Amino acid sequence: MSPEDNEELAGPRRVIGTPSSAPAALDAKPPVPQEAEDYVPTDPADMGRAKVAERLAAVCFLIAFVAGICFIVAYIGLEVGPNNGGNSVVAAMRSNYALGSSLGLALLALGTGSIIWVRHLTPNIEIEEHRHDLKSAPQDRAGFQRDFATGTAITQVTKRPLLRRTMMIATAPLALAPLLLLRDLGPLPGKSLRYTVWKKGTRAVTLGGNRPLRPADMTAPGSMITVIPEGYQDDPDALAKAGVILIKFAPGELHIPTNYDGGTLVSTMNWTVDNIVAYSKICTHVGCPVALYEQTTHHILCPCHQSTFDAANGANVIFGPAARALPQLPLTTDAEGYLVASSDFTQPVGPSFWERG
Amino acid sequence: MSDDAVKIPGALSGVGGWLDDRFHGARGVRVLMKKVFPDHWSFMLGEIALWSFVILLLTGTFLALFFVPSTTDIVYHGSYTKLNGIHMSEAYASTLRISFDIRGGLLIRQIHHWAANLFMVAICAHMLRVFFTGAYRKPREVNWLIGIVLFTLGMLEGLFGYSLPDDQLSGAGLRIFEGVLQGIPIVGTYLAYFLFGGAFPGSAIVPRMYIIHVLLIPGLILALISAHLFIMFHQKHTQMPLHGNTEKNVVGQPFWPYFMLKGQAWFFFIFGALVVLSTFAQINPVWLYGPYTPLAISSASQPDWYMGLLEGALRIMPAWEINFLGHTLSLSVLIPFAVPLGLIFTGAALWPFFEAWATGDKAEHHVNDRPRNAPVRTGIGVAAISFYGVLWAEGANDVFADKLQIPLYTITWIARFAVFLVPIGAYFVTKRICLGLQRKDAELLTHGVEIGVIRQLPHGEFIEEARRLTDEEHAVVASKRIPAALPGPGKLDPNGIPEPAGRGPVGWARGVANRAFTESIVPDGHGNGHGEHNGHAVADGEHAAITGGDSGDHHG
Ligand code: HEM
Ligand code: FES
């Protein structure tokens, strides 16, 4: 290393608080590695240790070789899929263990061998490269500026505003084109987020069983079940908004819930049938399906971020990030005595959105 | 070269000559071969990220050969008999096929997923290394910014990848993503409808995420990684403050052969470790979750770790929503979505420029700082980590509630305070610790190292014998550079105009920041530090002192 470098680092006299000294003279030459005359040893210092290391590395590489063969054998020998007669999960796991452990061993052995190689079989050489100023030399900057300015003058762009401005105008619509082309990615939301497929008279059927329900089917107070609008069991887009939970209360437990109908607060006790109340299953936070119902406290819990709703009180929020009660679905019974909706929800279900109001 | 250099075989040198005739490469490639790479364990972190990405490319390409990015509904009849007869998307069915019918498919899927997690861990660790050593300072700000973009892209890439198999958990995650999109003011519902091609879940999202996941984002990441490495090559690596390392040199081992050999070993190790992990540690067993249906319950599902911050932020929020001229502003969605990540990413992006502004430091830096020697930076870094940590832990609040038998709501309430208090506390504690370590260094510089021998002086006093620091030790301990103090407020320059630090609220803020940055413990050889006598007097009268930013003699 050069003497000035030594001085800079070693001197306890360096004034603490001085920012690192400004770069010294500019050096236009690109970094050239040390010249060919420099003697570089190619053998490690300790040849005895190198001998041992060589054998160790060779053992590692042999292990890698054997493990690699095992990998091939396991691939060919271990069937997966339905045709092997046995349990295909077991077969897949067996194949996974065999392939993974052989491949993993091969790679780790290769890595270990390579590390032994570079650590103990190469001489430990450090070299020093000089840093050069990143900033270009002043004459280079000036030259660049001059050439750039000349080029710009040749284009006439500064002298002919008419040309410049019309050209800019020409590009404006084209710049919008890529955005425009994205327009058909999807329909406009319009009012679709305000409605679900529930209508007057839509029967509530059980999720999974598609069975319509009579009030008498929910005998035990405190039970909660998930229902969907009849006929939509295979329509995920509809279900993602229209899922509903039914909760049966013991007489007197259900406090007259209040709910918004459009903008006005109305009593919605007459939306219940026989102490059964229907709420949207879609959390008003960001839309997970609410799930856990605690009978004793009447709390509905959303498993995603733990918003908690009070089922006995219009599903008002009592904890967590959801800002609004779960919307209530007006319930009634049809001529055959099955539970049906008496209308769609009177407010949007699910997460809030800007146009919701 | 030494005499025993290997003789290059004729064929190889023939090819080399052919290439050089056409590309004039000998000189340039020679420079590359001799490129110096300083050695330090923490310089390997970025390499882990690089190799993980290579592994993601390899395994992802394999998966793409078999994965069917389609939500077309089918009835399953296949190897995983438990789901026979069940409706599911082709995407989910093909993931089952990869797992159970393709030899090595399960292994590659799990390697891909583990590698995604390792990629993000490595990026984080690498970023922290760069931050705490100040390696982002001039001239490396651009690479710092590229790194932040890479981190963001990695998160998005992981989110989309995780959502591709269309299992119950991935669908639940997407639903949350859609709900968050809807919450964005003005354009939210449009964004959601455009991305999903209409109402959630629709049938467009899987093929769209697929092309984003296998082409768009990997392409961007690849381009940015290339730029990152090119810039690193061009500017040369930073180095640690060791004996012989200066701002004007770079000391280490040459690319060829050392870095090549080590890189190769490192690649095999990382790949091997991922394979072993994927063999024995199951990850994302989608067959257990079942296909996505919108109303099924996904209790206690945990997202991949790098999403934990968002999850925690959503959980910690109180129910805030405002109605604004007939519009709904859903703060309990917007704040968690935008604020924590926004703070961390914007804060990180602006930090190098803020630091340069507050310290007035315009110099190039190639020798890294020891974290203790930059107490404000280190304090802020630890504060950011603790902020992230609190939200991350809150993302698993149900797990904690269950394990510790504490009510869930109590945990959330604790977290609501902790998210503000812990980072503030962490900042001050860290800063104190840094200054304490500086004090120790200052003593080492003035006293030397105590060697455990106690001697009694003629007049009865006991002193501990010390030896001077070796050159190597001295280089490390004395590597501190305190930023220059800007002139304090109220000071006038020679023309009678207030110095910049005194001008207006911005100048005032700069002055405050500057004083924080310049607080330091120095072996007091100069100036007006407040003396702080420490027991036994030192022969030459040096003693440690705290300097404030107003000690003008620290000017550069
Ligand atoms: C930074 C880069 C990447 C990250 C973080 C990432 C992450 C993920 C994750 C977490 C999954 C879910 C895996 C699972 O099923 O458990 C996934 C799936 C997938 N990824 Fe990637 N990935 C990356 C790059 C790529 C690339 C470059 C390709 C293709 C060239 C790719 C192709 C796929 C495919 C086809 C799947 C679905 C297959 C399946 O889940 O079985 N990925 N990715
Ligand atoms: S989605 Fe229900 S609490 Fe977040």
Side-chain angles (χ1 to χ4, degrees):
Chain A
M1 67 184 301
S2 63
E4 336 94 70
D5 289 341
N6 255 324
E7 205 172 270
E8 172 167 10
L9 201 96
R13 280 162 310 289
R14 187 211 298 126
V15 181
I16 296 184
T18 319
S20 51
S21 53
L26 296 162
D27 188 348
K29 266 189 292 174
V32 176
Q34 288 153 321
E35 266 327 302
E37 294 76 41
D38 293 358
Y39 172 75
V40 177
T42 57
D43 283 328
D46 186 343
M47 288 300 260
R49 227 161 107 206
K51 193 88 209 138
V52 181
E54 182 186 3
R55 296 209 176 115
L56 272 178
V59 168
C60 288
F61 292 151
L62 283 178
I63 293 176
F65 171 74
V66 174
I69 298 283
C70 289
F71 180 81
I72 296 175
V73 170
Y75 187 87
I76 296 170
L78 292 178
E79 288 281 329
V80 296
N83 304 324
N84 65 339
N87 179 333
S88 47
V89 175
V90 173
M93 295 304 160
R94 194 171 47 213
S95 159
N96 189 53
Y97 284 130
L99 292 174
S101 41
S102 52
L103 182 62
L105 182 62
L107 290 167
L108 290 179
L110 260 174
T112 313
S114 309
I115 275 293
I116 295 175
W117 183 342
V118 62
R119 281 272 171 77
H120 300 295
L121 287 165
T122 59
N124 192 10
I125 298 172
E126 273 204 333
I127 62 173
E128 182 190 19
E129 209 181 329
H130 290 277
R131 286 186 196 278
H132 297 264
D133 246 357
L134 287 162
K135 192 159 76 185
S136 303
Q139 65 270 28
D140 289 342
R141 277 197 185 189
F144 170 81
Q145 276 172 3
R146 211 172 39 243
D147 289 354
F148 184 76
T150 312
T152 312
I154 290 173
T155 66
Q156 303 281 310
V157 71
T158 48
K159 289 182 208 141
R160 299 186 190 278
L162 178 67
L163 196 68
R164 190 171 71 227
R165 288 180 194 146
T166 48
M167 154 98 170
M168 264 159 29
I169 290 173
T171 54
L174 292 181
L176 284 176
L179 273 181
L180 193 70
L181 285 171
L182 291 179
R183 163 61 191 87
D184 281 344
L185 276 177
L188 296 182
K191 297 221 175 292
S192 58
L193 283 169
R194 300 186 168 273
Y195 303 109
T196 74
V197 296
W198 289 100
K199 293 196 296 280
K200 185 172 178 354
T202 309
R203 276 190 187 157
V205 297
T206 55
L207 176 65
N210 298 318
R211 213 163 30 82
L213 289 165
R214 290 200 172 88
D217 294 333
M218 291 189 76
T219 44
S223 59
M224 172 181 112
I225 56 172
T226 300
V227 293
I228 56 172
E230 185 171 34
Y232 289 94
Q233 62 273 18
D234 292 326
D235 183 347
D237 294 8
L239 293 187
K241 281 193 299 184
V244 160
I245 48 177
L246 296 181
I247 301 173
K248 166 89 175 178
F249 283 87
E253 271 182 346
L254 185 58
H255 305 288
I256 296 179
T258 49
N259 221 320
Y260 284 95
D261 184 353
T264 48
L265 207 56
V266 294
S267 163
T268 54
M269 195 60 185
N270 58 349
W271 289 5
T272 65
V273 173
D274 209 8
N275 286 308
I276 298 173
V277 60
Y279 295 118
S280 165
K281 191 179 169 69
I282 313 303
C283 183
T284 56
H285 180 220
V286 284
C288 287
V290 298
L292 315 170
Y293 178 61
E294 212 176 47
Q295 280 190 26
T296 45
T297 54
H298 310 302
H299 288 176
I300 307 168
L301 184 79
C302 175
C304 282
H305 316 105
Q306 295 126 14
S307 289
T308 310
F309 306 89
D310 184 356
N313 271 306
N316 282 326
V317 184
I318 49 179
F319 191 82
R324 283 174 302 99
L326 296 171
Q328 190 186 348
L329 181 72
L331 274 189
T332 180
T333 48
D334 63 8
E336 291 164 62
Y338 288 115
L339 287 170
V340 297
S342 53
S343 77
D344 192 2
F345 288 96
T346 56
Q347 52 171 325
V349 302
S352 293
F353 49 95
W354 177 250
E355 301 88 343
R356 187 180 184 282
Chain B
M1 265 317 119
S2 73
D3 317 326
D4 48 343
V6 178
K7 191 167 168 358
I8 311 269
L12 195 57
S13 91
V15 171
W18 192 92
L19 288 171
D20 191 54
D21 286 348
R22 281 149 188 88
F23 299 112
H24 186 68
R27 183 190 171 96
V29 176
R30 182 170 175 224
V31 171
L32 287 189
M33 284 193 314
K34 284 276 190 141
K35 200 85 196 167
V36 168
F37 280 82
D39 203 12
H40 189 267
W41 66 267
S42 70
F43 296 168
M44 296 284 155
L45 296 170
E47 231 188 300
I48 303 185
L50 175 65
W51 292 136
S52 312
F53 181 66
V54 170
I55 293 165
L56 281 164
L57 284 178
L58 295 174
T59 52
T61 306
F62 176 89
L63 292 175
L65 297 176
F66 302 101
F67 181 72
V68 184
S70 148
T71 48
T72 305
D73 186 64
I74 59 159
V75 177
Y76 182 72
H77 288 286
S79 293
Y80 191 63
T81 47
K82 279 189 192 145
L83 291 178
N84 272 347
I86 305 257
H87 282 269
M88 60 179 62
S89 64
E90 283 187 328
Y92 184 72
S94 70
T95 309
L96 292 182
R97 194 167 104 80
I98 291 174
S99 307
F100 293 113
D101 298 285
I102 308 285
R103 280 174 287 179
L106 180 59
L107 185 65
I108 302 284
R109 248 196 78 228
Q110 306 210 102
I111 296 175
H112 192 72
H113 206 134
W114 273 119
N117 278 303
L118 182 65
F119 179 66
M120 295 303 291
V121 171
I123 285 199
C124 273
H126 174 59
M127 265 181 84
L128 291 176
R129 192 287 285 176
V130 170
F131 184 81
F132 284 117
T133 59
Y136 54 78
R137 287 172 298 173
K138 186 180 174 185
R140 296 185 177 75
E141 303 95 327
V142 174
N143 247 359
W144 172 250
L145 295 177
I146 291 180
I148 293 171
V149 177
L150 278 170
F151 189 178
T152 334
L153 286 176
M155 273 181 78
L156 259 186
E157 176 76 350
L159 172 75
F160 286 155
Y162 187 81
S163 306
L164 280 178
D166 202 27
D167 58 287
Q168 186 58 46
L169 285 193
S170 74
L174 267 187
R175 174 87 224 218
I176 295 176
F177 184 56
E178 194 250 4
V180 168
L181 280 184
Q182 271 190 28
I184 296 174
I186 306 174
V187 294
T189 53
Y190 293 85
L191 282 182
Y193 266 54
F194 286 169
L195 181 65
F196 286 80
F200 179 85
S203 57
I205 187 67
V206 168
R208 283 182 188 172
M209 284 190 312
Y210 180 71
I211 199 65
I212 296 174
H213 182 80
V214 305
L215 182 74
L216 194 61
I217 299 183
L220 286 174
I221 293 181
L222 196 59
L224 287 173
I225 289 182
S226 312
H228 200 73
L229 294 183
F230 172 80
I231 293 174
M232 187 267 292
F233 247 73
H234 185 64
Q235 297 181 331
K236 302 190 177 80
H237 209 286
T238 58
Q239 55 192 348
M240 289 299 178
L242 301 176
H243 185 55
N245 294 358
T246 72
E247 294 287 1
K248 308 292 293 169
N249 74 358
V250 47
V251 179
Q253 297 193 306
F255 185 83
W256 174 255
Y258 290 93
F259 201 72
M260 282 288 268
L261 284 175
K262 285 182 187 168
Q264 163 197 321
W266 205 216
F267 174 71
F268 287 137
F269 267 124
I270 291 165
F271 206 168
L274 282 172
V275 172
V276 169
L277 208 55
S278 309
T279 309
F280 299 104
Q282 190 171 72
I283 189 164
N284 205 17
V286 289
W287 57 93
L288 299 181
Y289 307 148
Y292 180 63
T293 54
L295 294 179
I297 310 133
S298 53
S299 66
S301 59
Q302 290 294 321
D304 270 4
W305 76 269
Y306 43 88
M307 287 289 155
L309 174 85
L310 278 180
E311 181 78 10
L314 285 166
R315 290 181 182 196
I316 205 172
M317 264 309 282
W320 291 353
E321 182 169 301
I322 46 183
N323 257 316
F324 166 74
L325 303 178
H327 291 293
T328 304
L329 204 55
S330 168
L331 295 179
S332 48
V333 177
L334 279 176
I335 292 180
F337 171 61
V339 172
L341 280 180
L343 262 179
I344 287 180
F345 287 132
T346 322
L350 294 180
W351 181 263
F353 307 100
F354 170 74
E355 190 185 282
W357 172 76
T359 55
D361 180 356
K362 305 245 173 343
E364 280 183 19
H365 295 277
H366 304 289
V367 176
N368 287 321
D369 276 337
R370 300 169 85 201
R372 70 183 60 176
N373 290 338
V376 173
R377 176 198 300 152
T378 307
I380 292 283
V382 174
I385 294 175
S386 66
F387 174 73
Y388 198 104
V390 170
L391 288 177
W392 195 60
E394 169 68 6
N397 61 354
D398 43 350
V399 180
F400 284 108
D402 193 47
K403 290 262 149 56
L404 305 177
Q405 293 295 318
I406 302 175
L408 194 61
Y409 301 154
T410 312
I411 294 194
T412 297
W413 270 111
I414 294 173
R416 281 176 185 170
F417 286 100
V419 78
F420 296 107
L421 299 180
V422 171
I424 295 173
Y427 173 78
F428 286 108
V429 170
T430 308
K431 204 173 156 198
R432 280 303 114 194
I433 293 176
C434 287
L435 290 173
L437 290 169
Q438 287 191 15
R439 191 182 314 273
K440 252 178 64 189
D441 285 351
E443 272 169 29
L444 284 177
L445 285 178
T446 50
H447 292 188
V449 190
E450 281 162 1
I451 51 175
V453 177
I454 295 179
R455 198 155 50 94
Q456 191 175 21
L457 297 180
H459 57 272
E461 194 194 345
F462 287 96
I463 58 160
E464 247 195 297
E465 276 202 4
R467 66 165 170 79
R468 289 192 72 82
L469 294 174
T470 63
D471 282 354
E472 280 72 24
E473 290 164 344
H474 188 274
V476 174
V477 174
S479 66
K480 181 166 62 175
R481 313 255 154 134
I482 309 161
L486 297 171
K491 298 250 172 76
L492 302 184
D493 73 6
N495 302 324
I497 298 165
E499 290 279 8
R503 265 185 239 142
V506 177
W508 175 83
R510 189 175 182 195
V512 170
N514 183 253
R515 271 191 299 287
F517 273 101
T518 47
E519 182 178 349
S520 178
I521 309 271
V522 295
D524 187 22
H526 42 186
N528 51 2
H530 331 282
E532 197 193 70
H533 296 272
N534 42 2
H536 31 140
V538 189
D540 56 4
E542 284 186 305
H543 53 246
I546 294 193
T547 66
D550 50 352
S551 33
D553 55 352
H554 292 314
H555 254 296

Coordinates of all heavy atoms in Angstrom, one line a residue, chain A residues 283 285-288 302 304-307 321, ligand 2:
Chain A
C283 N -67.7 -9.7 6.4 CA -67.2 -8.7 7.4 C -67.2 -7.3 6.7 O -66.7 -7.2 5.6 CB -65.9 -9.1 7.9 SG -65.2 -8.0 9.2
H285 N -65.2 -5.1 7.4 CA -63.8 -4.5 7.4 C -63.2 -4.7 6.0 O -63.3 -3.8 5.2 CB -63.0 -5.2 8.5 CG -61.6 -4.7 8.5 ND1 -60.5 -5.6 8.7 CD2 -61.1 -3.5 8.4 CE1 -59.4 -4.9 8.7 NE2 -59.7 -3.6 8.6
V286 N -62.7 -5.9 5.7 CA -62.2 -6.1 4.3 C -62.8 -7.3 3.7 O -62.3 -7.8 2.7 CB -60.7 -6.1 4.2 CG1 -60.2 -4.6 4.3 CG2 -60.0 -6.9 5.2
G287 N -63.9 -7.9 4.3 CA -64.6 -8.9 3.5 C -64.4 -10.3 3.8 O -64.9 -11.2 3.1
C288 N -63.7 -10.7 4.9 CA -63.6 -12.1 5.2 C -65.0 -12.6 5.7 O -65.8 -11.8 6.1 CB -62.7 -12.3 6.4 SG -61.0 -12.1 6.0
C302 N -64.9 -12.1 13.6 CA -64.3 -12.3 12.3 C -62.9 -12.8 12.5 O -62.1 -12.2 13.2 CB -64.3 -11.0 11.5 SG -63.4 -11.2 9.9
C304 N -60.4 -12.9 10.7 CA -59.3 -12.3 10.0 C -58.6 -11.2 10.8 O -57.4 -11.3 11.1 CB -59.7 -11.7 8.7 SG -59.9 -12.9 7.4
H305 N -59.3 -10.2 11.3 CA -58.7 -9.2 12.1 C -59.5 -8.9 13.4 O -59.4 -7.9 14.0 CB -58.5 -7.9 11.3 CG -58.0 -8.2 9.9 ND1 -58.8 -8.1 8.8 CD2 -56.8 -8.6 9.5 CE1 -58.1 -8.4 7.8 NE2 -56.9 -8.7 8.1
Q306 N -60.3 -9.9 13.7 CA -60.9 -10.0 15.0 C -61.9 -8.9 15.3 O -62.1 -8.5 16.4 CB -59.9 -10.0 16.1 CG -59.1 -11.3 16.1 CD -57.6 -11.1 16.0 OE1 -57.2 -10.0 16.3 NE2 -56.9 -12.1 15.7
S307 N -62.5 -8.4 14.3 CA -63.7 -7.5 14.5 C -64.7 -8.3 15.2 O -65.0 -9.5 14.9 CB -64.2 -6.9 13.2 OG -63.3 -6.0 12.7
P321 N -61.3 -3.5 13.9 CA -61.2 -2.5 12.9 C -62.5 -2.3 12.1 O -62.5 -1.3 11.4 CB -60.0 -3.0 12.0 CG -60.0 -4.5 12.2 CD -60.5 -4.7 13.5
Ligands
FES2 S1 -62.1 -8.7 7.5 FE1 -63.2 -9.0 9.3 S2 -61.9 -8.0 10.7 FE2 -60.9 -7.7 8.9

